[in-house]
Amino acid sequence: MPMPQAGDKAPGFSLHDQSGATVSLSQLKGRHVVLYFYPKDATPGCTTEACDFRDEHSALVKAGAVVLGVSPDSTASHQKFATKQGLPFSLLADPDHAVADAYGVWGEKSLYGRKFMGLIRATFLIGPDGKVLRVWPKVKVAGHVAEVLASLQQPSGAASQAPASKASAPAVKAPAAKKAPAAVAKPVAVKKPAAKKAPAAKAPARKGARA
């Protein structure tokens, strides 16, 4: 089956959790559901992912979500795994991978060059109306739960495959640099012309003495 995409109606299911209780998607109408599929209990990557959901569980619940993990393991295996890791949410047993098939996460995998059929790690965020809001296919565990929580906390709700890219802010022109005021030339001191000396008065010629 192809993997449901954002806007599609989420396939219904009814599975047993680690305590033997039946959990159905129809029971959760009106609430967000974080449905995450993982390959196997107690393996390194699956343990890390489960513990990340455990650590953020109160924040996810506060955001209005129910967390459900699904794998092909038995209810007994789920019980042991949930008890050891202190998981506060339901782990659903899907031994015949019928629900995994319905969500398009059962397919061919490859490990060390060997191909085999198995569960592909993926997460679906289902809205209160039962429609898929967002899909994380082929999940990488590191940082995944933080992305799920961020989608739930978006004011407008998570209704897309990927978060909308932020519009780039208009370029702000830097104010033109102010020109430094032109240096004011200092007036050059003008030397006054030296005063002309008055011509020396000539002494009157002496008249010869009378004999």
Side-chain angles (χ1 to χ4, degrees):
M1 293 287 289
M3 188 177 290
Q5 301 300 307
D8 294 343
K9 183 174 177 59
F13 59 82
S14 185
L15 298 172
H16 292 106
D17 69 5
Q18 65 265 39
S19 65
T22 301
V23 178
S24 301
L25 182 60
S26 58
Q27 297 171 344
L28 302 172
K29 188 175 181 180
R31 301 184 67 180
H32 285 88
V33 176
V34 175
L35 186 69
Y36 83 94
F37 290 86
Y38 66 98
K40 190 172 179 58
D41 290 336
T43 54
C46 297
T47 299
T48 298
E49 185 177 22
C51 290
D52 286 348
F53 273 114
R54 175 199 64 196
D55 296 344
E56 294 293 349
H57 189 252
S58 59
L60 290 161
V61 171
K62 186 177 179 180
V66 176
V67 177
L68 301 174
V70 184
S71 85
D73 297 296
S74 65
T75 54
S77 174
H78 283 342
Q79 178 66 54
K80 184 178 179 181
F81 182 44
T83 300
K84 182 176 181 180
Q85 303 301 334
L87 305 181
F89 49 84
S90 292
L91 298 178
L92 308 182
D94 185 27
D96 59 359
H97 53 81
V99 176
D101 274 328
Y103 278 83
V105 296
W106 185 264
E108 187 176 78
K109 301 177 69 175
S110 179
L111 182 65
Y112 303 119
R114 182 174 64 91
K115 292 184 178 181
F116 59 96
M117 296 298 289
L119 192 144
I120 299 164
R121 195 186 304 276
T123 299
F124 297 83
L125 177 58
I126 302 170
D129 59 356
K131 290 185 178 180
V132 176
L133 291 178
R134 186 168 176 187
V135 182
W136 287 266
K138 297 182 180 180
V139 164
K140 290 184 178 180
V141 172
H144 174 56
V145 175
E147 289 181 354
V148 175
L149 182 58
S151 288
L152 280 163
Q153 291 174 335
Q154 288 178 7
S156 58
S160 62
Q161 279 298 98
S165 59
K166 293 181 180 179
S168 57
V172 179
K173 291 185 178 179
K178 293 182 178 179
K179 292 184 179 179
V184 178
K186 292 182 180 180
V188 179
V190 179
K191 291 184 178 180
K192 293 181 179 180
K196 292 183 179 180
K197 292 182 179 180
K202 290 183 179 181
R206 296 177 61 184
K207 291 179 178 182
R210 293 179 181 178

